[in-house]
Amino acid sequence: MKNYKIRLKTIDDVRNFVNAIASVECDVDLASGRYVVDAKSIMGIFSLDLANEIDMTVHCDCCIDKVEEKLKAYIVG
């Protein structure tokens, strides 16, 4: 399991993020405040506060390299 901070600034960012994460086999969650949603759910993502950084948790170690490669544009720091 690994945690990241991500930023999704536009509607296109959210759409591209969901398309990229959909090909990852493991479970990925996004959290903003006390809300946690499935990162593969576009409707769930739009329920989060996108004005701030979002916490992303990848729940397996086998996909870490794939996730980092596909989402490097959205990972902060």
Side-chain angles (χ1 to χ4, degrees):
M1 182 165 76
K2 189 163 180 182
N3 296 314
Y4 301 90
K5 293 277 190 188
I6 65 164
R7 182 171 299 275
L8 301 170
K9 297 178 183 177
T10 66
I11 293 170
D12 286 335
D13 284 349
V14 174
R15 183 180 40 132
N16 294 335
F17 175 87
V18 171
N19 288 338
I21 202 73
S23 65
V24 175
E25 294 100 26
C26 52
D27 291 331
V28 181
D29 290 330
L30 297 179
S32 177
R34 62 186 178 117
Y35 298 103
V36 178
V37 299
D38 183 356
K40 298 177 184 179
S41 167
I42 196 164
M43 293 301 290
I45 293 172
F46 280 121
S47 71
L48 300 176
D49 179 12
L50 299 178
N52 298 312
E53 292 178 356
I54 301 168
D55 296 316
M56 179 175 73
T57 304
V58 180
H59 290 283
C60 68
D61 294 327
C62 63
C63 300
I64 298 298
D65 293 336
K66 189 175 184 180
V67 168
E68 288 179 356
E69 179 185 329
K70 288 183 173 277
L71 304 177
K72 61 184 169 190
Y74 308 107
I75 296 173
V76 178

